[in-house]
Amino acid sequence: MTIDAIRTVGVLGAGTMGNGIAHVFARSGYNVVLRDVETRFLDHAMDTIGKNLDREIKKGKVEEGEKPKILGRIHATTEMSAIARADFAVEAVPERLDLKLSVLREADSVLRPEAILASNTSSISVTTLAAATSRPDRFIGMHFMNPVPVMVLVEVIRALQTSDETFQATMTLCERLEKKPVAVNDAPGFVSNRVLLPMINEAAFAVMEGVATAEAVDAIMKLGMNHPMGPLELADFIGLDVCVNILEVLYAGFGDSKYRACPLLRKMVAAGWLGRKNGRGFYIYSQ
């Protein structure tokens, strides 16, 4: 698949990451097939994309007349068969190996043989995911950052099987989205989460052990280390359940106790305190 042959993109999953990925592809002129299992997820995604476009219009990043054109490029559907026309597809379902494998295998069976299939996984082995498809040489990791329309980084992860042609096409595609692709090789957590999650985890241990409050930990990292967000604010933004899932992947992948998820994080997830997305994590948010 050459870069100029990529005109229609499938996005599998319409959650926070999926709707953001659909947004940036449509904004860059690509036709998008956005697929999820229920209409209500798709309705929420389209509403979110519309609101995010309104913010970009207010900031002068998008012309007001472009909004209906961008939204018009996105076809929302519950039918997996609709992605058959995609030249490139990105899986963006929750960070669970069983779920990703199920969705990727189904998508693989529908896509044309020459189409490239990517995963937005933030920690799971891209080599393992590639091996579950019939196109391991045309499979790649494409880890967007949240919020996708704002953050410029895409961590591009080569599976052991990824061909040079697939890698180059994906790197160029990122640039056409006005993103900055950074290439890494396949290892648990890649670079972003291998470095970030231990910091979040250690911040949670500091709170659990009574070293400081969440507010104090975050203030120290913001004021002393010049971080725009404290690690616990960021954990709430990511989702505490997602943080625990990624830590479990790191712990299983390296077998090193330094990646053991903090018991406080596990307890908060068990209580349903997941962060911003449901109103309570280390902080309380208005609905």
Side-chain angles (χ1 to χ4, degrees), residues 172-246:
T172 303
L173 184 60
C174 290
E175 292 168 353
R176 293 192 178 183
L177 298 177
E178 298 183 350
K179 300 295 185 184
K180 174 61 179 176
V182 178
V184 302
N185 290 319
D186 192 20
F190 319 129
V191 172
S192 55
N193 283 324
R194 182 173 178 175
V195 174
L196 174 63
L197 264 296
M199 180 180 69
I200 289 174
N201 203 39
E202 199 62 32
F205 270 112
V207 173
M208 185 185 77
E209 294 167 3
V211 177
T213 64
E215 291 84 355
V217 170
D218 282 343
I220 287 166
M221 297 305 293
K222 288 189 288 186
L223 300 176
M225 313 305 167
N226 205 29
H227 291 194
M229 293 178 72
L232 300 175
E233 290 177 281
L234 183 55
D236 276 358
F237 185 76
I238 294 168
L240 302 189
D241 53 335
V242 176
C243 291
V244 169
N245 287 343
I246 295 170

Side-chain angles (χ1 to χ4, degrees), residues 120-168:
N120 183 56
T121 180
S122 58
S123 60
I124 295 170
S125 167
V126 178
T127 298
T128 298
L129 297 177
T133 74
S134 65
R135 65 190 76 223
D137 60 321
R138 292 181 301 289
F139 193 95
I140 196 161
M142 201 179 188
H143 180 205
F144 289 85
M145 302 294 126
N146 186 26
V148 180
V150 176
M151 302 295 282
V152 298
L153 173 67
V154 179
E155 195 175 26
V156 178
I157 307 101
R158 293 188 71 151
L160 188 63
Q161 310 96 314
T162 304
S163 69
D164 290 341
E165 292 78 12
T166 296
F167 171 72
Q168 291 299 337

Side-chain angles (χ1 to χ4, degrees), residues 66-141:
E66 288 298 306
K67 179 181 175 180
K69 296 177 185 177
I70 293 170
L71 291 174
R73 294 188 192 111
I74 304 172
H75 171 62
T77 179
T78 58
E79 299 298 325
M80 182 65 86
S81 59
I83 71 159
R85 64 179 183 269
D87 307 303
F88 192 104
V90 184
E91 166 271 309
V93 302
E95 196 72 355
R96 283 179 21 220
L97 178 60
D98 59 338
L99 180 58
K100 286 188 181 293
L101 288 174
S102 174
V103 170
L104 288 168
R105 284 171 176 146
E106 188 178 1
D108 180 49
S109 70
V110 171
L111 290 166
R112 300 193 313 278
E114 66 271 21
I116 294 172
L117 182 53
S119 173
N120 183 56
T121 180
S122 58
S123 60
I124 295 170
S125 167
V126 178
T127 298
T128 298
L129 297 177
T133 74
S134 65
R135 65 190 76 223
D137 60 321
R138 292 181 301 289
F139 193 95
I140 196 161

Side-chain angles (χ1 to χ4, degrees), residues 4-61:
D4 291 327
I6 299 173
R7 297 183 180 181
T8 299
V9 175
V11 179
L12 307 168
T16 300
M17 298 305 294
N19 72 59
I21 293 167
H23 177 144
V24 298
F25 272 107
R27 188 178 64 191
S28 298
Y30 292 91
N31 295 313
V32 176
V33 179
L34 178 60
R35 188 264 176 178
D36 212 317
V37 293
E38 292 186 32
T39 301
R40 62 190 176 101
F41 299 145
L42 295 166
D43 291 343
H44 179 71
M46 294 303 294
D47 182 60
T48 299
I49 294 169
K51 289 176 179 176
N52 287 337
L53 285 169
D54 288 338
R55 292 191 185 96
E56 291 179 328
I57 290 166
K58 286 182 180 178
K59 293 178 180 178
K61 294 183 177 180

Side-chain angles (χ1 to χ4, degrees), residues 229-275:
M229 293 178 72
L232 300 175
E233 290 177 281
L234 183 55
D236 276 358
F237 185 76
I238 294 168
L240 302 189
D241 53 335
V242 176
C243 291
V244 169
N245 287 343
I246 295 170
L247 284 164
E248 288 176 345
V249 170
L250 290 167
Y251 188 30
F254 290 111
D256 191 325
S257 62
K258 72 180 180 181
Y259 297 112
R260 176 177 62 94
C262 175
L264 177 59
L265 281 176
R266 292 188 178 279
K267 188 181 293 185
M268 293 172 75
V269 171
W273 298 0
L274 307 182

